[in-house]
Every structure is written in C-alpha cells, then in structure tokens.
Amino acid sequence: MLRDYFLNKVENAIEKAITANKLGQMTEYTKGSLSVEKPKNSDFGDFAINVSSLARSARIAPPMIANAIVEFIDKEDSDYSVIGGFINFKAGDSLLVNLVDEVFSKKNNFGKPDKRKNYFGIYFC
C-alpha cells in the first residue's frame, strides 16, 4: 500500500513536470516503468525511487530530474529528499495511522487485491 502510494505520487508529479517543461527533452512517461525500493541506509527514509532511468529521454542529470519531480509532489504528511538520482520518502504519522486503520478494518482481506478475476478457479489481479 505505501509503495503504491509513493509511486503514484511520483508518477503524477512526473506528468506535471513534463507539462511544465521541467524534465528537459522528456515529452511523455509510461506509468509502471519505475519501482519503489527499500533504501540500504534507513537514514535515507522508508522507501526510495531511482529516477536515473529517465535521464536517457530527459537528457538531463538524474539529480536534476529528481529535484524537478519533487517540486511537483503533493507533500501532505510525508518527508521527501533527493540523493543523487533517488527520491527518498519518509511516511508521516497520519499516513501511518490511516494504514493501521485500514489493516484493522479489512482484517484478513488486507493486502488482497480489490479487483479479482476468476480464470479456471484461480484468482488474478
């Protein structure tokens, strides 16, 4: 849930940065081409996204890409920082409280996909 939350924030910010011509020569972004990972050093935050792969189409340095994207992220209750070509996230208290509330409300269904399709007795997302 948190991984998807932060990935969605970054992907929306990328779209806004492209529209504002802040990502160099980049004119479009295909959602799903970035992934969220856990930083090796926990001091960097809870999650990180490496945006270096966008440098080829943007034709600018990864730290400049990351800073341009962070400029367009709706920051709400989380902390964001840029280290090299990585955007690092630290979840805020209200985000974590909402997650705990969701765990308790969904109980055994927490983490299961909301939309499932049944093919030959097997459920797929």
Side-chain angles (χ1 to χ4, degrees), residues 1-2 5-6 9 75-79 90-102:
M1 185 223 156
L2 285 177
Y5 174 82
F6 288 120
K9 290 260 189 196
K75 299 186 178 53
E76 290 180 30
D77 180 41
S78 302
D79 293 325
K90 186 155 184 83
D93 291 340
S94 67
L95 185 60
L96 296 173
V97 167
N98 290 339
L99 178 62
V100 169
D101 288 344
E102 184 179 348

Coordinates of all heavy atoms in Angstrom, one line a residue, residues 1-2 5-6 9 75-79 90-102:
M1 N 0.8 -1.2 0.0 CA 0.0 0.0 0.0 C 0.9 1.3 0.0 O 0.6 2.1 -0.8 CB -0.9 0.0 1.2 CG -1.9 1.1 1.2 SD -2.0 1.9 2.8 CE -2.6 3.5 2.4
L2 N 1.8 1.4 0.9 CA 2.7 2.5 0.9 C 3.5 2.7 -0.3 O 3.8 3.8 -0.8 CB 3.6 2.5 2.2 CG 2.9 2.9 3.5 CD1 3.8 2.8 4.7 CD2 2.2 4.2 3.5
Y5 N 1.4 4.0 -2.9 CA 1.0 5.4 -2.6 C 2.2 6.3 -3.1 O 1.9 7.3 -3.8 CB 0.8 5.5 -1.1 CG 0.6 6.9 -0.6 CD1 -0.6 7.5 -0.7 CD2 1.7 7.7 -0.1 CE1 -0.8 8.8 -0.2 CE2 1.5 8.9 0.4 CZ 0.3 9.5 0.3 OH 0.1 10.8 0.7
F6 N 3.4 6.0 -2.7 CA 4.5 6.9 -3.1 C 4.8 6.8 -4.6 O 5.1 7.8 -5.2 CB 5.8 6.5 -2.3 CG 5.7 7.0 -0.9 CD1 5.8 6.0 0.1 CD2 5.5 8.3 -0.5 CE1 5.7 6.4 1.5 CE2 5.4 8.7 0.8 CZ 5.5 7.8 1.8
K9 N 2.4 9.0 -6.3 CA 2.7 10.4 -6.1 C 3.8 10.9 -7.1 O 3.8 11.9 -7.7 CB 3.3 10.7 -4.7 CG 2.2 10.6 -3.6 CD 1.8 11.9 -3.2 CE 0.9 11.9 -2.0 NZ 0.2 13.1 -1.9
K75 N 3.1 17.1 -1.0 CA 3.9 16.6 0.1 C 3.1 16.2 1.3 O 3.6 15.5 2.1 CB 4.9 17.6 0.4 CG 5.8 17.8 -0.8 CD 7.0 18.6 -0.6 CE 7.9 18.7 -1.8 NZ 7.3 19.1 -3.0
E76 N 1.9 16.7 1.5 CA 1.0 16.3 2.6 C 1.8 16.1 3.9 O 2.4 16.9 4.4 CB 0.1 15.1 2.2 CG -0.9 15.4 1.2 CD -1.8 14.3 0.8 OE1 -2.0 13.4 1.6 OE2 -2.2 14.2 -0.3
D77 N 1.8 14.8 4.3 CA 2.3 14.4 5.6 C 3.5 13.6 5.6 O 3.8 12.8 6.5 CB 1.2 13.7 6.4 CG 1.6 13.3 7.8 OD1 2.3 14.1 8.5 OD2 1.3 12.2 8.3
S78 N 4.3 13.7 4.5 CA 5.5 12.9 4.3 C 6.7 13.7 4.0 O 6.5 14.9 3.6 CB 5.3 11.8 3.2 OG 4.2 11.0 3.5
D79 N 7.9 13.2 4.3 CA 9.1 13.9 4.0 C 9.7 13.4 2.8 O 9.8 12.2 2.6 CB 10.1 13.8 5.2 CG 9.6 14.5 6.4 OD1 9.0 15.6 6.3 OD2 9.9 14.0 7.5
K90 N 9.8 9.4 3.6 CA 9.6 9.0 4.9 C 8.1 9.3 5.2 O 7.7 10.4 5.2 CB 10.5 9.8 5.9 CG 10.4 9.3 7.3 CD 11.7 9.6 8.1 CE 11.6 9.0 9.4 NZ 12.0 7.7 9.5
A91 N 7.4 8.2 5.5 CA 6.0 8.3 5.7 C 5.7 9.1 7.0 O 6.3 8.9 8.0 CB 5.3 6.9 5.9
G92 N 4.7 10.0 6.9 CA 4.3 10.8 8.1 C 3.4 10.1 9.0 O 2.8 9.0 8.6
D93 N 3.1 10.6 10.2 CA 2.3 10.0 11.2 C 0.9 9.7 10.7 O 0.3 8.6 10.9 CB 2.3 10.8 12.5 CG 3.6 10.8 13.2 OD1 4.4 9.9 12.9 OD2 3.8 11.7 14.0
S94 N 0.2 10.7 10.1 CA -1.2 10.5 9.7 C -1.3 9.4 8.6 O -2.3 8.7 8.6 CB -1.8 11.8 9.2 OG -1.2 12.2 8.0
L95 N -0.3 9.3 7.7 CA -0.3 8.3 6.7 C -0.2 6.9 7.4 O -0.9 5.9 7.0 CB 0.8 8.5 5.7 CG 0.9 7.6 4.5 CD1 -0.3 7.7 3.7 CD2 2.2 7.9 3.7
L96 N 0.6 6.8 8.4 CA 0.8 5.5 9.1 C -0.5 5.2 9.9 O -0.9 4.0 10.0 CB 2.0 5.5 10.0 CG 3.4 5.7 9.2 CD1 4.5 5.9 10.2 CD2 3.6 4.5 8.3
V97 N -1.1 6.2 10.5 CA -2.3 5.9 11.3 C -3.4 5.4 10.3 O -4.1 4.5 10.6 CB -2.8 7.2 12.0 CG1 -4.2 7.1 12.5 CG2 -1.8 7.5 13.1
N98 N -3.5 6.0 9.1 CA -4.5 5.6 8.2 C -4.2 4.1 7.7 O -5.2 3.4 7.5 CB -4.5 6.5 6.9 CG -5.1 7.9 7.2 OD1 -5.8 8.1 8.2 ND2 -4.7 8.8 6.4
L99 N -3.0 3.8 7.6 CA -2.6 2.4 7.2 C -3.1 1.4 8.3 O -3.6 0.4 8.0 CB -1.1 2.3 6.9 CG -0.6 0.9 6.6 CD1 -1.3 0.4 5.3 CD2 0.9 0.9 6.5
V100 N -2.8 1.8 9.5 CA -3.2 0.9 10.7 C -4.7 0.8 10.7 O -5.2 -0.3 10.9 CB -2.6 1.4 12.0 CG1 -3.3 0.7 13.2 CG2 -1.1 1.3 12.0
D101 N -5.4 1.9 10.5 CA -6.9 1.8 10.5 C -7.4 0.9 9.3 O -8.3 0.1 9.5 CB -7.5 3.2 10.2 CG -7.4 4.1 11.5 OD1 -7.1 3.6 12.6 OD2 -7.5 5.3 11.3
E102 N -6.7 1.0 8.2 CA -7.1 0.1 7.1 C -6.8 -1.4 7.4 O -7.7 -2.3 7.1 CB -6.3 0.5 5.8 CG -6.8 -0.3 4.6 CD -6.0 0.1 3.3 OE1 -5.3 1.1 3.3 OE2 -6.1 -0.7 2.4

